[in-house]
């Protein structure tokens, strides 16, 4: 049941947070219906949260018993720069998706990410991004008709214009 | 109309045949894209096929379903990202094979055994539907509750090196599944007074975050590692390999069919239980489980495809969906004026045999497309990871947004992605979290039904469990799984050996 791996950087803090989080959930679960009845809406959440507390305490005890890894570093092995940059980029994507729209946001996201991760030239990143966004747009927006935010792109007008071309009404 | 005539409807009609082929082909790729679930695809299809005749609509949906369950294994093998929860167990041995450059071989075996599993599930549906459904209907609420506990415990015990972390992850999943309004009393649970949490946490957002984003973040650690060139010399596995694993495949197909037939369960649980079964019955695998064992591919893939046929059994005979996809199909049948349930087989047996035939054809198309498309598909793994990873992340975001066209789900996905990343780094298995979310409702509802019917008495519940052979078997299995992963088990057997 116990792992013999050495303690990784940040693991102790993470497990302390798990204990605290589980205790908070147990307190919240107790607040749902207290000890009203075994079939009360809070019964399963309470058992679940209590299980989490017990497990988290056992895990914390095991973590404290293990010796820390000397060769690993938090900034290199747990949160290296590419991970931090990617999390920041996904957050930025989510924030910009509504105001800018799916096409420009996806294009910007892919261009920056491919250029950063693959370290390829800007024109190559742009070309790859355009191709990928076009393919995803075709599959999701046109085939699966998934509605994505249009944002600054007059998407409806462009689609109507393209359809018009095929029906001979385009200018 | 006799059985043979009904079976021939999709075979002799080119339009229906084409729709099954198209559905299977699309299903394979939908299933393979992390974040695009078969459930989502089928639910979107309902709006397309609303005005269609019932046969074409069903043909397309059945194809998507069959192809999608199989398709999830592809990214599980190639990228360690299961395209669907049913492929979680496949990744455990499939990905190590891909890392050794044997992705083509792994996909070939998976395709053939999926076909075998699918065939057995469909044959069982055709032959044993009424008696099996009769067996499933005998399940008491406490049995469903025990089944849910069993499922979570199995995943917790097999997907990590620490049972405690597995149980913690499973409990976390149940807790996440409880968020929102209690469906029985409309009491708020874990909402902390916020409107956003009243509707609950989107399972798809949790799944994409935990499996798509966290895996993407993990792979950033090795983003500049050159891709392993895949050897695709032999795709179709040799008869000797198939024959060697056929006995296990037949066992796990049976497990998959039975699990699939139990309402509320599905291919995901079937695959995990089958994997666990394989680890117990395989004495000397050529390669250890978790390092690329063929048995680790055979068991989950036969089971999850067999579960497709199984899932139709309660749906068609009792009107109870076997899983999420059959729940949507049930809705589709109602939309088309049909009444699935015990009377369907009496009043419209042609519909039952049409579905059996369509499933059989989808299974054949799955084999054909699965074996012929490997070379192109395997090329994905040879793409530079620095280009592939941003695309996977983007697809994950689009998939999360598509659940309900809500940015809220994207934020949930990101949150669970980051949380899942840390869980992974510190050795917590993610499978139990997802399974906990899926089974939360099953567990909660049936616990409350069971305890209410036993007058709120734990003693009465225990007495009822011991008195029922089915409940007792499930209960003892739960205890055995738990004890088998504790030091107590080792002590007992050491003493015996001594």
């Amino acid at each position: 049941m116990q792992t013999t791996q050495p303690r990784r950087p940040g693991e102790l803090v993470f497990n302390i947070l798990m204990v605290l989080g589980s205790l908070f959930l147990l307190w919240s679960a107790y607040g749902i219906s207290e000890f009203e009845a075994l079939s009360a809406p809070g019964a399963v959440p309470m058992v679940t949260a209590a299980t989490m507390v017990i497990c988290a305490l056992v895990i914390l005890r095991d973590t404290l018993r293990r010796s820390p890894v000397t060769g690993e570093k938090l900034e290199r092995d747990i949160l290296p720069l590419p991970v931090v940059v990617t999390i920041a980029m996904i957050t930025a994507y989510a924030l910009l998706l509504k105001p800018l729209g799916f096409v420009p946001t996806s294009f910007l996201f892919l261009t920056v990410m491919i250029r950063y991760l693959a370290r390829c030239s800007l024109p190559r990143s742009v070309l790859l991004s355009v191709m990928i966004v076009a393919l995803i747009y075709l599959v999701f927006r046109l085939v699966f008709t998934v509605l994505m935010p249009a944002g600054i792109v007059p998407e409806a007008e462009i689609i109507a214009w393209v359809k018009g071309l095929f029906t001979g009404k385009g200018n | 109309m006799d059985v043979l005539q009904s079976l021939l409807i999709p075979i002799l009609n080119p339009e229906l045949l084409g729709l099954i082929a198209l559905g299977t082909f699309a299903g394979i790729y939908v299933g393979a894209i992390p974040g695009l679930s078969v459930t989502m695809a089928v639910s979107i299809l309902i709006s397309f096929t609303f005005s269609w005749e019932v046969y074409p609509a069903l043909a397309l949906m059945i194809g998507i379903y069959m192809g999608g369950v199989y398709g999830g294994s592809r990214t599980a093998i190639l990228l360690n990202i299961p395209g669907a929860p049913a492929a979680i167990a496949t990744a455990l041995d499939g990905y190590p094979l891909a890392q050794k450059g044997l992705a083509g071989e792994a996909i070939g075996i998976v395709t053939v055994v999926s076909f075998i599993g699918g065939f057995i599930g469909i044959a069982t549906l055709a032959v044993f539907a009424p008696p099996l459904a009769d067996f499933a209907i005998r399940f008491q609420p406490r049995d469903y509750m025990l089944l849910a506990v069993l499922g979570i415990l199995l995943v917790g015990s097999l997907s990590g090196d620490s049972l405690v972390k597995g149980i913690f992850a499973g409990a976390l999943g149940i807790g996440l599944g409880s968020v929102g309004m209690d469906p029985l009393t409309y009491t708020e649970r874990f909402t902390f007074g916020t409107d956003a949490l009243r509707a609950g946490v989107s399972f798809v957002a949790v799944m994409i975050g935990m499996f798509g984003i966290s895996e993407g973040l993990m792979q950033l650690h090795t983003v500049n590692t050159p891709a392993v060139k895949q050897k695709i010399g032999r795709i179709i596995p040799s008869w000797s390999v198939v024959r060697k694993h056929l006995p296990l495949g037949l066992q796990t197909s049976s497990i998959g069919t039975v699990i699939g037939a139990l309402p509320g369960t599905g291919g995901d649980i079937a695959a995990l239980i089958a994997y666990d079964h394989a680890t117990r019955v395989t004495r000397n695998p050529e390669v250890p489980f978790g390092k690329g064992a063929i048995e680790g591919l055979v068991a989950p893939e036969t089971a999850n495809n067999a579960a497709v046929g199984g899932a139709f059994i309660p749906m068609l005979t009792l009107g109870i969906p076997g899983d999420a996809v059959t729940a949507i199909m049930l809705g589709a049948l109602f939309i088309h004026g049909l009444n699935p349930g015990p009377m369907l087989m009496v009043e419209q047996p042609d519909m039952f045999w049409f579905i059996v035939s369509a499933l059989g054809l989808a299974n054949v198309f799955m084999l054909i497309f699965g074996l012929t498309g490997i070379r192109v598909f395997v090329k994905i793994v040879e793409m530079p990871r620095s280009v592939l990873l941003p695309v996977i992340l983007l697809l994950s975001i689009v998939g999360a947004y598509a659940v309900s066209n809500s940015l809220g789900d994207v934020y949930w996905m990101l949150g669970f992605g980051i949380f899942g990343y840390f869980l992974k780094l510190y050795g917590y298995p993610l499978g139990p979290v997802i399974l906990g979310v899926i089974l939360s409702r099953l567990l909660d509802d049936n616990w409350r039904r069971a305890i209410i019917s036993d007058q709120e008495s734990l003693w009465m519940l225990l007495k009822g469990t011991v008195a029922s052979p089915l409940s007792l078997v499930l209960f003892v299995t739960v205890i055995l799984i738990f004890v088998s992963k504790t030091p107590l088990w080792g002590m007992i057997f050491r003493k015996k050996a001594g």
Side-chain angles (χ1 to χ4, degrees), chain B residues 137-306:
Chain B
I137 205 171
R138 278 189 235 154
F139 269 57
Q140 300 289 316
R142 63 167 172 267
D143 301 322
Y144 283 117
M145 181 193 77
L146 286 166
L147 198 73
V149 174
L150 186 68
I152 294 165
L153 211 53
L154 277 173
V155 184
S157 70
L158 67 88
S159 53
D161 59 353
S162 161
L163 179 66
V164 185
K165 284 181 177 172
I167 295 174
F168 178 88
L172 175 69
I174 298 168
L176 286 171
S178 311
V179 175
M181 306 293 281
D182 167 37
L184 298 181
T185 61
Y186 294 100
T187 307
E188 289 186 25
R189 302 195 292 191
F190 296 134
T191 60
F192 311 110
T194 54
D195 287 338
L197 288 172
R198 286 204 178 97
V201 178
S202 161
F203 156 63
V204 183
V206 178
M207 197 190 96
I208 299 173
M210 290 274 180
F211 286 108
I213 299 294
S214 74
E215 182 61 36
L217 295 177
M218 283 299 284
Q219 295 204 11
L220 284 169
H221 287 258
T222 53
V223 71
N224 294 318
T225 312
V228 177
K229 285 278 174 194
Q230 301 299 315
K231 294 176 205 159
I232 324 170
R234 186 183 188 101
I235 295 167
I236 299 170
S238 67
W239 171 238
S240 62
V241 170
V242 176
R243 196 177 53 188
K244 186 185 168 195
H245 297 103
L246 199 58
L248 176 69
L250 293 175
Q251 288 170 39
T252 48
S253 297
S254 311
I255 291 172
T257 311
V258 174
I259 300 289
L262 299 176
T265 59
D268 36 8
I269 302 172
L272 291 159
I273 290 178
Y275 186 89
D276 185 69
H277 173 79
T279 60
R280 287 166 202 275
V281 299
T282 311
R283 294 198 187 278
N284 296 308
E286 279 177 29
V287 179
F289 280 94
K291 308 269 185 212
I294 301 296
E295 291 85 354
L297 296 177
V298 172
E301 285 303 313
T302 45
N304 64 24
N305 280 77

